[in-house]
Structure formats: structure tokens, C-alpha cells
Amino acid sequence: MIDEMKINAIQREKYLSEGYWKDITLLDCWKESVKKYSEREYVVDDRGNRYTYRQMDEAASKVAAFLRKQGVLPGDAVSFQLPIWSEFVVVTIACFMTGAVAHPIAMSYEEKELIRSMNLTESKVYFGPSFFHKTDYASRILAVRERIPSLSCVVIVGGEKPEGNGVLAFTEIMDQADTEKQEIRRTGEDLALILCTSGTTSGTKGVLLTHNNIRYSEEVFTRELGLTSEDIMFMPAPLNHATGFHHGLIAPMLIGAKVVLQQKYRCREAIDLMNRERCTFSMGATPFIYDILRELENGGGELPFLKLYLCGGAPVPGYMVRKAWSFGILLCEVYGSTESVPHVFVRPDEALELNGTTSGRPVEGVQIRVVDDEGNDVPPGVPGEELSRGPNVFVGYLKDKKITDSALDDDGWFHSGDLCVMDEAGNIRIIGRKKDMIVRSEIALFIFSSFPPNNSLLKRKRSFKLNALRKSERFFFSNISFSEILDLSANIVLCGISISFKGIVSCTIFSSGITFSTIGSTTIGSSTTGSCTCTTSIVGDTSGAGCTSGICKGLLTGIESISR
């Protein structure tokens, strides 16, 4: 049983009085959707599986009956390590039905992580594939089973089931006739989900989320996006992450919409799948939409039904916003974390006007502060750490009070560790991670990037960060290809330092009086010359549209040097 939760009493009363938190659970929401949308499709995957709301309810009821036979009680954890398959959804709904706490596990977890996470949650049942993407998951879980005392049963999904006591095939559960539903009583303040996240200061952490946290997050998210039961979500992101779980599964469920799952992202197949299923919106990391736009441009085709793509994990440059719109897609940046599920985003009707200059503003009910190292609020335009507080914010880390108290303060503010800048309108721009700051001889340098997997730039970045920094030093990144940089969002905060690049870079610089020396034909701000001196407080990261509101805009192409 998991019962440690940190909730500020004053904020709790506020959320209840304003109707943000309610005495309903995700199971209550599920029942309502099954009643209203029984014969509408809820989940489709690229393995040929299709479930209406009624069919999903029947399948989940069988798994729920099985869980009860295994002794799973309300508040117990059920672990599942499943790909982006429809079975993931079946197990999730079954957890709601039994009052169990869903504990989805990353496919990348190996023996050590499995032992640690499942002992922390005291999981009673594990669901996982027999074999997936060159990995024998069945052998892996059976190899560590004896080291997880609470684990009573292993269920293998797909493929052949290994022999052994307490090992069951998922098909055996689906073949059973027992769908008897037992009434359980849980509340909106009970724990519903444990999502694992890694940090820079410790190993894997279990993020505790209540029914209210999840329901509120997705109710306000879908409402402010204007989504309806007629919309169809395409979800290629892992379902054990907040993006996949909250926005891929829960958001469509709340409004009677459909979600289309792709087990392994392949760009052209994704385009074909979205067209075949008439997907109207999607959400994922920046490289997903970049790949899609590049494929459409180079390989031909269109996405006539896709009207909206929500993009997180890295800043969205203006040229991508415009490129997406050329295919009729509104590209909106979102920002959040597992602990404070995307609570900031660019509204669709503002996407073209903002053009990649911001991560957006908070949703209803969520407050944001930008603070310095002493916890004092900083003025607009000054970098600081992003703090958020609201009905969506998590209630602690599993069995780790020390780390909980360091991230979630007594007043209910979650300290993200992310650096941002807020403008006068309340929009924020994420510029990197607080812990990645390097200070040498009164010179502060932050350098942050989102790199494609296995990119050689990552190694160069790491070795670069380890260097001692001095005002006289110069740094070069050379032989950088155009496609690499389109997947790279580099943000630099500097004071009194020279830094040099070759190639193509999109960057944001905070300082005063920086001179840019460039090579090639470049537009920076309102200048089309080879160099530009800007004395505003912010420079960067979008295509040149002139300086407005203290922001000098320019896609910096072929930067050779930056100096004070």
C-alpha cells in the first residue's frame, strides 16, 4: 500500500472549493465515457487491434477480475512494461477498475531498474512482452522475479509464454469468461499512477499522481485546445511517459475521442497511418514533427486531416512553425514535466503570431513564478528557475521524502530546475537547465541542446562542458550538417565570453551588447549584413522579423564568432 503524499492544506481547500478537484476518479470518468460513447472507437494500434469503448470495457473487466484473484487490493501497485500497444490501455483501465495504482515501466529498464522500481512499489503483478525489438523481456523478468518478494504473477503479452509457476499468457486472461464487476470506492484524492522519471541528482524516481491530478490536467488541456469527441489523436510516444499516458490515453477518454497508436515510430508509416485513420491532432517531441515535415517536403504527400501538432521537449523554432503551416498544421509548443504535466502551451489561435518565440502561458488554475537562486521573483526578461503550482502538480516522490521536499516546497510549488524567461504577457521561454550552469572566474555559461540519439555532437558538447572556461578561450563546433542542427535547439546564456561556431546554429543569447560576426548570407534582426550589434537583453532563435518588444529575432546561420 502506498499512502505517502505531500499536499498543501490551503491549496487543497482552494482546489476543492473552485471545483478543480472533485470526488470522482478516473474510473468514474471511464464509466461515463463508456455509457455515452459505447460504440465509438477508443483505441486503434498498428498491429491490427481495434477497440470500441464497450469492447475496451469488456477486455479490461477480464483483466480486473484476474487482478482481484491475484489478491490485488485498492491501493496496490500493478507494474506493466509494455510497448505502445492496445494491451497497455487494457491493463491501465483494469487498474482503475480494481482501484490499483498503475505503474507503467519504461521498455529500457533492465534487471537492476526492474528490481529497484518494483520493490519500491511492492508490485503484485507484472505484465510484459515475450520478445520485443531484439530484447527477451520474458527471460529478463523471470531472472529477477525471486528478488521481488511482492510479485505473485508474471503475465506475458504476445509471443510464447515461458514455462513456470505463476507465469500466465495474456491470451489466457482474455479467454476467460469472468467479467464480473465489483464496486470499489476510491476518491479523487487517492493515488492513481506512478510514473518513473530520472533526474540529475539521483536515480529513477517514482512520481506520485492522484486521480485529481490527472483528470484536471487533461480536462483543462482538452478544453483550452477546443478538442471534441470528433477528434482523433495520433500517439507515437511511449505510453509510460506523461505525454503518452496523459495526452495519449486519458485526454481522448475524457471526451470520447479516439487514439491511434504506433508501436515503433517510422516516419512514412506514421504519415500513412495518420491519413488512414484521419488523425486530427498529435503530440510528441520536436524531432517527430521535424521528420514528418521533412518527409512531406522531400518524399511528397500531405496530411489533410491533421490540424494540430503539440510539440514538447525542446524549443520550437519559427521556421518549423511556418513550415508546418504550409502543410495546414498548427504547431504549438508545450512545456511541462512528469511532476507538473504540460501546464504551459501556445494556444492554436496564437501559434502563427508568436511564431516559436515562446513556450506559451499557463493553463487555467496553474500559477507560475520565475525566481532567482534565493527564491525571489525576477522581473520580466530576466532568466530564473520556473516554479509551478496547481491542481495538476504531483504529490511527491515514492518513498523519498528528502527528494520530495527539495522539489515540492511546503507551499505547494514545484521547483522544476528549468531556466526560463517570462515576458510581460505571462508567456515563458525555456532556455535550459539550472544545474547545467558552469561558473568560472565570474563567467557564467549555460549550454543546452536536444540532440538526436547517438549524435556525435553530444560527445562534443560533453567534452566542451568539462573545459575550464576563461574569457580568452574560444570554442569551435565544426562539420555540423544542416539536418543535425534542425534537430538541435541550442540555448546559450553568457556573460563576458567569446564562443565560436561553424555550421548552422539556432541559439538564444542573454547578455548586453553582443556583437555577432557571421559568414554567409544571414538575416539577423533587421540587418541583412554579415554582422549585427544588438544591445537588447534577448537575442535569438527565430527567423528575422526585426526587433520588437526588446527581442531581436534572427536565425543565426553560419556563426563564426560571438564576442563582448
Side-chain angles (χ1 to χ4, degrees):
M1 301 288 285
I2 304 159
D3 56 10
E4 72 273 16
M5 292 189 283
K6 183 176 182 179
I7 302 173
N8 176 272
I10 296 175
Q11 293 302 309
R12 174 182 178 273
E13 290 304 315
K14 175 184 175 182
Y15 301 153
L16 289 171
S17 65
E18 296 187 6
Y20 296 155
W21 284 2
K22 304 174 183 178
D23 190 23
I24 60 174
T25 67
L26 292 170
L27 176 59
D28 296 323
C29 297
W30 171 251
K31 288 179 178 179
E32 184 66 20
S33 289
V34 173
K35 181 180 178 181
K36 292 171 64 176
Y37 309 107
S38 177
E39 299 308 313
R40 292 181 69 97
E41 281 191 324
Y42 172 41
V43 176
V44 174
D45 68 25
D46 60 351
R47 296 157 62 236
N49 296 310
R50 311 186 80 91
Y51 288 87
T52 64
Y53 279 82
R54 175 184 57 79
Q55 291 168 334
M56 178 59 69
D57 190 63
E58 292 171 353
S61 295
K62 293 182 178 183
V63 176
F66 161 75
L67 292 175
R68 283 190 286 268
K69 288 181 179 178
Q70 294 298 315
V72 174
L73 300 173
D76 288 341
V78 172
S79 297
F80 41 109
Q81 188 178 29
L82 292 169
I84 310 172
W85 292 351
S86 55
E87 289 89 345
F88 187 108
V89 190
V90 176
V91 176
T92 297
I93 302 299
C95 288
F96 298 161
M97 289 178 170
T98 58
V101 179
H103 176 230
I105 298 174
M107 298 303 293
S108 59
Y109 273 25
E110 299 183 0
E111 288 84 348
K112 181 179 178 181
E113 292 93 345
L114 287 173
I115 294 168
R116 183 178 186 275
S117 65
M118 292 177 69
N119 277 327
L120 276 173
T121 58
E122 301 178 48
S123 298
K124 290 189 174 180
V125 180
Y126 166 92
F127 293 81
S130 172
F131 195 91
F132 180 74
H133 195 49
K134 303 179 182 179
T135 301
D136 187 342
Y137 286 92
S139 295
R140 177 176 289 171
I141 186 61
L142 293 179
V144 302
R145 181 179 177 182
E146 297 303 319
R147 299 176 65 182
I148 308 170
S150 61
L151 188 60
S152 63
C153 186
V154 170
V155 180
I156 299 301
V157 183
E160 293 188 11
K161 179 196 75 173
E163 295 299 323
N165 294 327
V167 181
L168 207 66
F170 190 77
T171 52
E172 296 178 66
I173 300 173
M174 290 295 100
D175 289 341
Q176 68 183 7
D178 187 0
T179 59
E180 180 183 354
K181 297 179 181 179
Q182 297 181 11
E183 286 298 319
I184 60 163
R185 189 58 224 151
R186 304 288 279 168
T187 75
E189 296 184 64
D190 285 323
L191 201 62
L193 176 67
I194 302 172
L195 289 182
C196 294
T197 183
S198 59
T200 57
T201 59
S202 65
T204 300
K205 297 172 288 190
V207 176
L208 305 178
L209 296 160
T210 68
H211 290 268
N212 273 328
N213 290 150
I214 301 167
R215 178 196 52 76
Y216 179 80
S217 168
E218 298 318 290
E219 278 186 355
V220 70
F221 198 71
T222 54
R223 182 173 68 247
E224 294 195 15
L225 284 171
L227 301 175
T228 73
S229 60
E230 299 301 317
D231 282 300
I232 301 172
M233 155 71 88
F234 172 68
M235 179 48 65
L239 302 179
N240 64 286
H241 291 171
T243 295
F245 192 95
H246 284 66
H247 306 314
L249 303 188
I250 303 303
M253 180 261 282
L254 292 179
I255 59 176
K258 179 169 81 172
V259 59
V260 177
L261 306 176
Q262 185 183 33
Q263 62 178 322
K264 184 172 175 56
Y265 176 73
R266 294 182 178 89
C267 189
R268 178 51 66 175
E269 293 176 15
I271 293 170
D272 294 341
L273 183 59
M274 283 189 279
N275 283 333
R276 189 163 61 248
E277 298 295 335
R278 296 172 173 254
C279 294
T280 61
F281 75 110
S282 184
M283 182 172 182
T286 307
F288 283 123
I289 187 62
Y290 165 68
D291 284 346
I292 289 169
L293 296 175
R294 181 177 58 180
E295 179 65 24
L296 290 174
E297 189 170 36
N298 296 336
E302 58 180 353
L303 285 167
F305 307 104
L306 193 70
K307 62 184 181 181
L308 179 64
Y309 190 96
L310 304 164
C311 199
V316 179
Y319 73 85
M320 284 185 63
V321 175
R322 296 191 304 278
K323 177 61 68 177
W325 184 238
S326 72
F327 290 99
I329 304 167
L330 285 171
L331 184 57
C332 299
E333 185 173 338
V334 302
Y335 165 73
S337 63
T338 307
E339 294 89 344
S340 186
V341 171
H343 53 278
V344 166
F345 67 93
V346 173
R347 276 50 174 184
D349 60 355
E350 299 175 352
L352 298 178
E353 178 184 356
L354 293 175
N355 195 38
T357 59
T358 174
S359 303
R361 64 180 187 277
V363 300
E364 178 189 349
V366 175
Q367 299 169 276
I368 283 181
R369 295 174 60 202
V370 183
V371 302
D372 59 23
D373 288 341
E374 285 71 46
N376 302 311
D377 292 279
V378 300
V382 176
E385 182 183 7
E386 193 263 0
L387 275 59
S388 62
R389 181 171 71 180
N392 65 312
V393 172
F394 80 133
V395 295
Y397 294 113
L398 177 62
K399 298 178 182 177
D400 204 327
K401 186 177 186 303
K402 181 179 179 181
I403 295 182
T404 293
D405 289 342
S406 69
L408 183 63
D409 68 30
D410 293 340
D411 293 324
W413 291 98
F414 169 59
H415 297 242
S416 68
D418 291 325
L419 287 170
C420 74
V421 174
M422 182 182 289
D423 65 20
E424 297 284 355
N427 294 298
I428 65 169
R429 177 68 171 172
I430 303 301
I431 61 172
R433 288 289 294 171
K434 181 179 179 181
K435 291 185 180 298
D436 286 339
M437 180 178 69
I438 305 170
V439 179
R440 295 288 187 275
S441 303
E442 298 182 351
I443 302 170
L445 171 68
F446 302 75
I447 183 161
F448 312 97
S449 304
S450 296
F451 291 90
N454 302 319
N455 196 306
S456 60
L457 285 175
L458 184 60
K459 296 179 181 178
R460 263 179 263 171
K461 170 177 176 275
R462 284 175 175 167
S463 62
F464 165 70
K465 287 176 63 178
L466 293 176
N467 288 332
L469 304 179
R470 298 183 180 87
K471 289 185 179 180
S472 60
E473 288 186 310
R474 296 171 63 84
F475 306 94
F476 281 87
F477 291 129
S478 59
N479 301 318
I480 302 175
S481 73
F482 184 71
S483 62
E484 284 176 322
I485 290 305
L486 289 182
D487 282 343
L488 165 65
S489 297
N491 299 290
I492 305 168
V493 183
L494 70 146
C495 176
I497 195 167
S498 297
I499 184 166
S500 299
F501 295 84
K502 283 188 176 180
I504 303 170
V505 178
S506 174
C507 66
T508 303
I509 298 168
F510 290 79
S511 189
S512 176
I514 298 176
T515 299
F516 295 87
S517 299
T518 67
I519 54 177
S521 176
T522 304
T523 299
I524 303 176
S526 58
S527 170
T528 56
T529 63
S531 64
C532 173
T533 299
C534 179
T535 58
T536 60
S537 60
I538 302 178
V539 181
D541 200 28
T542 54
S543 61
C547 295
T548 60
S549 302
I551 300 177
C552 180
K553 304 175 180 179
L555 179 64
L556 309 180
T557 306
I559 301 173
E560 188 175 47
S561 67
I562 301 173
S563 60
R564 283 292 297 270

